[in-house]
């Protein structure tokens, strides 16, 4: 996610953040990467993958279909209502792995509630007496498990589902939730994200689900470390277009003139990175390196005016591939947001970039475009294990955005990092150290330039050649998996041939900004209360 207005440029006056209480270091997540299909079980410990990535829904039956190796085991018990993330304890759910979401949306008109449904194919990682889904949607209609009516209770953002019979450990099962969706529904954060969830546009909608807004759109296992493929079936009035992550499978025109659009995400996607947009759109097709399909989705009236900056995507892809290796997904594109959305967003395979970002200065436009594209390596492909690892996602995106900009007419990376260094103690007090956010300060400036500064310091410490090898190894070894701060430190130490914990720990967790290697003249500004 790239905020447009909250992050400093050394050409402009610096703005101090509001004073916030210093917070203590959060415990790091367990080590070892979460496999793409994996989930977190009842206690938050890692559970083995359940089911094939792109398998279809379970066959209907009152007890679910036993998977190979299923056994009776312990007595059924409730799945955990969250995976235990210290910042968002109820994010995600325990006791099962989602194998696929199938989402049905019967869109009617902007800001008008409509009927929706979600079919969730899952595998039980424990014997389940009941389980939770993260869900904050509107009117709930029915919930079934393997075709049989289940008991469902709403508890804040949790939908607690009790099936008619317990689900054995290792069994596949299918949950169907029907509800009314409200495309005017959103929430607010006092950081870069501001309003999120459903984002109305003049003739439709788009989604900004980061960080925990997916539950307003569909029932989900809503944590960035948990991913599953998604099938979208979106019905629109004639004259409107629907778009979503991945590949357009087909369209069907109904006798009443309405059109159903079916999309397949192709690869597993985290709930916060799901995109669905409806409007009067033009598809603009091109290709990137190695023939990669690129499809921009542009409001009809903005096609010409945004063309110049959108046409740079092929260049951006090639530039990033030279540094980070092959683009990790099957297609890419930019969704131009006809909205006052204050941020751009790395929704998987289809980044959202607000129209104003594409109608102005080329340097600023490219910073946004490169930032969101970089996330497809770091944040989308290599997912964060816990929310406190967000610095790895936003810091990398900011670092490469700044590096690209330096080479294409923008402020030099060193100048930007020196400005960040001067303010770093203030940010540590206001927003927490880079790997030590609170839930409220997740998307504050420290996770952007403040975290890019950690990567810059690492490069100064180990040298450019070693740093580049660390970066490529990071996105290669953890491709398609979730990883955290400990994983990054361990990998960097291995590639560098030295233990980097004593160097990186104060940068990531310390109360004060360490000296910058190679720049003894750099000074940190005094903290202002």
């Amino acid at each position: 996610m790239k905020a447009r207005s909250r992050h400093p440029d050394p050409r402009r006056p610096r703005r101090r953040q509001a004073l916030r209480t210093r917070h203590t270091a959060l415990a790091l997540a367990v080590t070892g990467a979460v496999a793409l299909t994996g989930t977190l079980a009842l206690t938050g410990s890692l559970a083995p993958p359940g089911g094939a990535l792109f398998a279809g829904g379970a066959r209907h039956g009152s007890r679910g279909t036993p998977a190979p190796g299923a056994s009776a085991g312990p007595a059924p018990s409730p799945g955990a209502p969250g995976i235990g993330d210290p910042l968002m304890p109820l994010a995600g759910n325990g006791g099962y792995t989602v194998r696929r979401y199938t989402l049905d949306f019967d869109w009617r008109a902007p800001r008008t509630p409509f009927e929706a449904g979600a079919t969730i194919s899952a595998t039980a990682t424990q014997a389940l007496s009941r389980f939770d889904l993260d869900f904050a949607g509107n009117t709930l209609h029915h919930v079934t498990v393997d075709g049989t009516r289940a008991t469902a209770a709403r508890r804040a953002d949790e939908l607690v589902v009790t099936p008619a019979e317990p689900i054995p450990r290792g069994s596949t099962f299918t949950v169907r939730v029907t509800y009314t969706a409200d495309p005017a529904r959103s929430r607010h954060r006092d950081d870069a994200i501001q309003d999120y969830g459903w984002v109305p546009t003049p003739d439709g909608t788009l989604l900004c689900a980061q960080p925990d807004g997916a539950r307003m759109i569909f029932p989900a296992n809503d944590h960035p470390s948990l991913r599953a493929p998604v099938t979208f079936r979106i019905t629109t009035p004639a004259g409107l277009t629907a778009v979503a992550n991945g590949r357009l499978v087909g369209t069907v025109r109904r006798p009443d003139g309405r059109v159903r659009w079916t999309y397949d995400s192709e690869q597993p996607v985290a709930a916060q990175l799901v995109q669905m947009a409806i409007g009067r759109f033009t598809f603009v097709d091109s290709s990137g390196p190695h023939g990669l399909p690129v499809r921009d989705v542009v409001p009809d009236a903005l096609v010409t005016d945004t063309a110049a900056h959108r046409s740079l995507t092929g260049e951006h892809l090639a530039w990033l591939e030279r540094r980070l290796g092959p683009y990790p997904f099957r297609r890419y594109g930019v969704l131009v947001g006809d909205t006052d959305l204050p941020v751009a967003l790395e929704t998987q395979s289809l980044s959202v970039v607000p129209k104003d970002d594409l109608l102005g200065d080329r340097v600023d436009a490219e910073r946004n475009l490169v930032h969101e594209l970089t996330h497809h390596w770091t944040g989308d492909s290599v997912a964060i294990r816990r929310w406190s690892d967000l610095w790895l996602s936003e810091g990398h995106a900011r670092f490469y955005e700044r590096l690209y900009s330096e080479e294409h007419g923008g402020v030099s990376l060193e100048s930007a990092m020196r400005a960040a260094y001067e303010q770093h103690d203030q940010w540590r007090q206001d927003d927490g150290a880079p790997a030590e956010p609170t839930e409220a300060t997740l998307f504050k400036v420290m996770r952007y330039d403040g975290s890019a500064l950690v990567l810059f310091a690492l490069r100064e410490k180990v040298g450019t050649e070693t740093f580049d090898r660390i970066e490529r190894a990071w996105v290669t070894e953890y491709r398609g998996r979730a990883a955290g701060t400990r994983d990054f430190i361990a990998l960097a130490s291995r590639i560098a041939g030295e233990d980097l914990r004593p160097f990186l720990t104060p940068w990531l967790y310390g109360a004060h900004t360490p000296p910058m290697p190679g720049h003894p003249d750099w000074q940190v500004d005094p903290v202002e209360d």
Side-chain angles (χ1 to χ4, degrees), residues 1-7 191-196 199 206 208 210 337 339-346 352-355 357 368 372 443 448:
M1 188 275 290
K2 167 70 160 63
R4 291 187 291 149
S5 59
R6 297 240 173 189
H7 312 301
D191 57 18
I193 286 180
Q194 299 182 31
D195 296 321
Y196 67 106
V199 180
L206 58 82
C208 178
Q210 194 177 62
T339 170
D340 292 329
L341 189 70
V343 296
L345 187 68
E346 66 272 18
V352 178
V353 181
K355 62 182 179 181
D357 292 350
N368 283 315
E372 303 313 328
F443 293 92
Y448 295 89

Side-chain angles (χ1 to χ4, degrees), residues 230-498:
V230 184
T231 298
F232 302 83
R233 299 189 296 219
I234 309 160
T235 303
T236 67
L240 294 182
T241 298
V243 67
N245 309 85
R247 176 176 65 93
L248 177 62
V249 175
T251 58
V252 176
R253 185 172 296 276
R254 297 185 170 181
D256 63 357
R258 292 170 61 77
V259 179
R260 187 172 79 173
W261 308 75
T262 301
Y263 286 86
D264 180 358
S265 70
E266 299 182 294
Q267 290 159 276
V269 57
Q272 64 151 350
L273 301 176
V274 164
Q275 185 54 256
M276 179 198 74
I278 295 168
R280 292 181 174 83
F281 294 133
T282 296
F283 289 160
V284 182
D285 292 307
S286 61
S287 61
H290 323 296
L292 179 77
V294 176
R295 169 172 286 183
D296 292 341
V297 180
V298 192
D300 292 346
L302 295 171
V303 173
T304 300
D305 290 343
T306 62
H309 298 334
R310 287 189 295 100
S311 68
L312 301 169
T313 293
E315 259 182 65
H316 300 158
L317 282 160
W319 186 88
L320 283 164
E321 285 197 341
R322 288 195 296 272
R323 287 153 181 81
L324 299 175
Y327 174 75
F329 298 99
R330 297 180 186 175
R331 63 195 69 245
Y332 186 64
V334 170
L335 169 62
V336 179
D338 189 3
T339 170
D340 292 329
L341 189 70
V343 296
L345 187 68
E346 66 272 18
T347 45
Q348 189 166 300
S349 77
L350 187 65
S351 294
V352 178
V353 181
K355 62 182 179 181
D356 288 348
D357 292 350
L358 297 170
L359 296 175
D361 176 72
R362 171 172 171 160
V363 169
D364 290 341
E366 288 199 275
R367 283 184 56 190
N368 283 315
L369 290 163
V370 171
H371 184 107
E372 303 313 328
L373 182 54
T374 302
H375 272 304
H376 283 71
W377 281 265
T378 63
D380 292 12
S381 177
V382 182
I384 58 173
R385 186 190 305 285
R386 292 289 187 270
W387 275 114
S388 56
D389 301 318
L390 184 65
W391 78 273
L392 282 163
S393 176
E394 296 298 349
H396 273 100
R398 177 66 97 224
F399 180 87
Y400 286 100
E401 162 204 336
R402 290 285 194 186
L403 185 60
Y404 180 93
S405 188
E406 173 185 62
E407 297 177 12
H408 295 81
V411 172
S412 72
L413 176 65
E414 184 171 312
S415 176
M417 292 298 95
R418 183 167 187 166
Y421 187 83
E422 291 169 355
Q423 300 171 83
H424 221 247
D425 271 6
Q426 186 73 51
W427 296 342
R428 284 173 189 265
Q429 175 164 298
D430 293 344
D431 306 335
E436 196 181 34
T438 64
E439 188 276 336
T441 64
L442 263 175
F443 293 92
K444 293 287 190 174
V445 67
M446 181 58 94
R447 253 50 69 191
Y448 295 89
D449 283 275
S451 297
L453 185 69
V454 178
L455 298 173
F456 180 82
L458 177 61
R459 192 180 76 163
E460 298 299 286
K461 165 74 171 174
V462 302
T464 299
E465 182 180 346
T466 298
F467 177 79
D468 289 346
R469 288 193 289 114
I470 290 170
E471 292 293 278
R472 186 176 283 254
W474 175 247
V475 299
T476 300
E477 294 188 21
Y478 289 103
R479 177 172 174 160
R481 298 192 286 167
T485 302
R486 282 187 179 177
D487 300 307
F488 183 80
I489 294 173
L491 179 142
S493 297
R494 173 167 57 82
I495 299 298
E498 64 175 304

Side-chain angles (χ1 to χ4, degrees), residues 11 14 16 22 25 33 53 63 71 81 98 119 169 178 180-181 183 194 207 218 229 232 245 268 278 324 328 468 489:
R11 296 171 297 180
R14 299 192 299 274
R16 299 294 190 191
R22 164 78 52 194
L53 273 180
R63 292 181 179 270
S71 58
V98 175
T119 302
R169 180 180 181 273
T178 58
T180 298
Q194 299 182 31
L207 304 183
F218 64 101
F232 302 83
N245 309 85
I278 295 168
L324 299 175
D468 289 346
I489 294 173

Side-chain angles (χ1 to χ4, degrees), residues 22-42:
R22 164 78 52 194
H23 19 275
T24 57
L26 298 174
L28 286 170
V30 293
T31 59
V34 182
L36 191 59
T37 52
T39 191
L40 293 158
L42 177 63

